Every structure is written in C-alpha cells, then in structure tokens.
Amino acid sequence: MLIAANWKMFKGPREAAAFLDEFAPPEGVDVVVCPPYASLQAAVGRGLPIYAQNVHWEAEGAFTGEVSAPMLLELGVEGSIVGHSERRQYFGENDETVARRTAAALEAGLHVIACVGELEEERERGETEAVLRRQVSVLEAHERLVVAYEPVWAIGTGKTATPELAQEAHALIKSLLAVPVLYGGSVKPENAVELLAQPDVDGALVGGASLEPVSLEAICRAAASLS
Ligand code: PGA
C-alpha cells in the first residue's frame, strides 16, 4: 500500500522540514511526500522518499520555469507526480505532454505517479470510461510507474467517490495497464479505510489531509491496517 502526500503549493522549506521531523508513519505502509519545488532540498534526507509535483521531458534547455529529471535526481528526489488535474486545468497539460514527461522521468530513473480522472461534466455525460481509456492509453507499464485515479469533481471539494465507484474506475484502469492504482480526491482519515479496502485500490494520493502530520498519520494507519 502506498500513501503519497501531495502538498501542492503549500509549505516552504521551514514548514516542510518541521513537518517531516514531526511525522511518524506506522510500519507496513510506503509513504512518499511531494513538496513544492522550493522545499525539495529541505525535505530530502529526513527519512521519507521525496517526489516532485512535475518534471520536464528534456534534461536541460530553454524552458523557463521547468525542472528536469536529472536535476531532481541530483537533489536526491526519487520521483514525481505527472499530469495532476490542476496542471491539466490551469497550465495546459494534456495527454501528449503527460506522456512525454512520464516517459522521460521513468527513463531517467525517477518513480512516477501519473494522474488521470474525469471532469464532473464528463461523468454526467457518461464519458468516464472513454476519458480514462484515452488518458491511460498514452502511458506504458513500467516497474516505477503508478497511476493515480483522481476524479476531478472530488479533488479538494469534500466530495469523495463512493468506494464502489472508485473500485469500478480502478478495475478499468488496471485492465488497461498493469500498474498499481492510487485513489485521490478528498481522502481523509474518516473515509480512508473504506476506499483503501477496495480490491483494486492500491493506495492514496492525498492533498488537503496530508498537510497535518496527525491526519496523514491516521490515513497511513488505515492503510497499514489493511496491508
Ligand atoms: P485532495 O487533493 O485530497 O485535497 O482532494 C488530492 C489531489 O489533488 O491530489
């Protein structure tokens, strides 16, 4: 079971270090933390694997505002999220750039958490399966690749997919690509057990509830109790 903490644009270097010094994950669960770029260096070396939240496909070049896999590896960063819905919604990320980022990061030696998930209107129109098939089709199975299913309508909204709905999407994704699949979207200590107990849910990508050590620890304990 893997629990990944996505801190988004929260926690500068001081707060990131303080969190990691206080955080005590239970045995029996893998935990990774994804701080913003500016806090990666402060987070590395404090006991947990550290992932970035995005990574470019080129090793270097004229790409203002981007960071490459070799740069992350040099810092001691072990992986990256790719294709988060906030990147897709606000920063023009698309299936093609997700594919390029993912392939380059894996090639360079990073782990990747590639995010997929449908918008609320896509679900209402009955397009969930088609959207997931399209988003997953650009990825290739790899031993360091994990997919995160994050229905966009459930991210940061307090609306969680029902365990049955999550299970259905996870089973579809796994039928397309043989990799572990994390669930993401308003995962909290109160709903973690029922989501993580689904047979094709292999862990969680946690945003809001990962910002406090106590709530992230509670989610990690829920995962450990099911392992
Ligand atoms: P949330 O975010 O847990 O705050 O809904 C999850 C994510 O966006 O990865």
Side-chain angles (χ1 to χ4, degrees):
M1 199 74 88
L2 173 66
I3 302 297
N6 175 13
W7 285 353
K8 309 192 178 188
M9 200 171 72
F10 293 96
K11 296 192 190 297
R14 267 194 307 272
E15 266 188 71
F19 178 107
L20 290 164
D21 290 347
E22 184 183 337
F23 180 66
E27 295 287 308
V29 57
D30 293 321
V31 185
V32 306
V33 175
C34 315
Y37 284 136
S39 302
L40 289 174
Q41 184 148 34
V44 162
R46 292 181 189 270
L48 288 180
I50 301 300
Y51 286 16
Q53 298 173 10
N54 194 14
V55 56
H56 198 261
W57 53 84
E58 295 290 346
E60 60 182 9
F63 300 104
T64 303
E66 292 282 335
V67 171
S68 74
M71 293 169 185
L72 294 174
L73 287 162
E74 188 178 334
L75 268 186
V77 171
E78 295 178 36
S80 184
I81 298 172
V82 170
H84 190 277
S85 66
E86 286 150 16
R87 303 291 325 163
R88 294 182 192 252
Q89 258 181 305
Y90 307 132
F91 302 100
E93 195 78 68
N94 57 43
D95 293 336
E96 192 206 324
T97 55
V98 169
R100 294 181 78 179
R101 291 181 195 278
T102 300
L106 291 169
E107 170 79 9
L110 289 170
H111 292 257
V112 172
I113 300 173
C115 302
V116 300
E118 79 285 2
L119 302 170
E120 185 150 37
E121 53 268 32
E122 291 168 335
R123 176 160 286 276
E124 281 165 4
R125 288 198 300 260
E127 293 170 5
T128 300
E129 180 172 340
V131 169
L132 294 178
R133 281 184 183 276
R134 193 198 73 225
Q135 291 176 337
V136 171
S137 72
V138 302
L139 304 171
E140 279 176 37
H142 190 285
E143 58 180 7
R144 276 181 274 102
L145 175 64
V146 169
V147 166
Y149 169 60
E150 299 204 306
V152 179
W153 46 270
I155 295 179
T157 57
K159 290 191 209 171
T160 316
T162 61
E164 297 71 34
L165 210 144
Q167 167 57 26
E168 197 184 329
H170 282 232
L172 169 69
I173 294 165
K174 285 185 159 192
S175 75
L176 302 170
L177 198 65
V179 297
V181 181
L182 312 181
Y183 172 77
S186 298
V187 175
K188 302 183 271 278
E190 304 81 66
N191 61 21
V193 169
E194 56 174 12
L195 287 160
L196 294 170
Q198 297 302 308
D200 290 311
V201 175
D202 303 308
L205 180 55
V206 186
S210 75
L211 293 172
E212 294 298 332
V214 281
S215 59
L216 185 59
E217 279 164 19
I219 292 168
C220 291
R221 279 198 303 276
S225 75
L226 294 163
S227 302

